[in-house]
Amino acid sequence: MNYKAMTLAAFLGISTPAIIDVVMTQPALAQRYNYPGGTFADKDWAVNLSFNNNVYYYSGENRRNPNSYITLSGAVASGTNARQVYTWNNNGLKYQITWRPSDPNFIRLEVIQPNGKVILNRVLKAMKDEDFISP
């Protein structure tokens, strides 16, 4: 019998699961996004974010031009748990929301052209029902 080979096989058989647990990091599996929801706005822009049936929705408009209303679905989530980024694509334009759960009342809205030029970069505040003025 080859005791060296058997000892090595036994050692690897016992230690391999432990080695794999140490080497394999699981941030991608453990990462859970909170998906900010509700309406965020400033004097010019309003965005409503909602998560329904595993799809993240974006509805936005320029408050000075109601004909600018757009609805998008199916964001791609990226970033970290501390700084979450959601991106929707619309004919080459990227609509991107950045949100920090540690500061849940604010989002950053960016609209980026296909060439990478940022054409809109605004910080929007979470709105409550009483913040809206009825006509």
Side-chain angles (χ1 to χ4, degrees):
M1 268 180 156
N2 186 345
Y3 290 106
K4 285 183 182 179
M6 288 179 49
T7 304
L8 180 60
F11 173 75
L12 289 175
I14 293 170
S15 64
T16 299
I19 293 169
I20 290 173
D21 282 345
V22 170
V23 173
M24 298 277 298
T25 58
Q26 298 176 350
L29 298 175
Q31 235 174 22
R32 250 188 65 199
Y33 292 107
N34 300 355
Y35 296 98
T39 301
F40 297 82
D42 66 7
K43 65 181 173 55
D44 294 324
W45 297 93
V47 170
N48 185 278
L49 302 171
S50 61
F51 188 78
N52 192 4
N53 293 327
N54 291 325
V55 178
Y56 198 36
Y57 294 93
Y58 167 104
S59 300
E61 73 176 330
N62 181 324
R63 296 172 90 178
R64 297 175 190 258
N65 178 6
N67 294 329
S68 66
Y69 188 80
I70 186 169
T71 299
L72 304 169
S73 63
V76 174
S78 61
T80 64
N81 282 336
R83 183 178 175 272
Q84 301 171 19
V85 180
Y86 304 94
T87 305
W88 292 263
N89 287 299
N90 182 39
N91 296 324
L93 286 175
K94 289 183 182 178
Y95 290 75
Q96 195 167 70
I97 296 291
T98 303
W99 182 63
R100 295 176 188 259
S102 62
D103 195 7
N105 293 320
F106 295 92
I107 61 169
R108 176 171 300 279
L109 166 63
E110 293 178 282
V111 179
I112 306 163
Q113 292 180 329
N115 65 4
K117 182 180 178 187
V118 177
I119 57 174
L120 180 67
N121 184 352
R122 303 294 280 261
V123 174
L124 306 179
K125 182 181 180 202
M127 304 299 285
K128 298 178 177 71
D129 289 340
E130 60 269 13
D131 293 332
F132 290 100
I133 301 171
S134 330

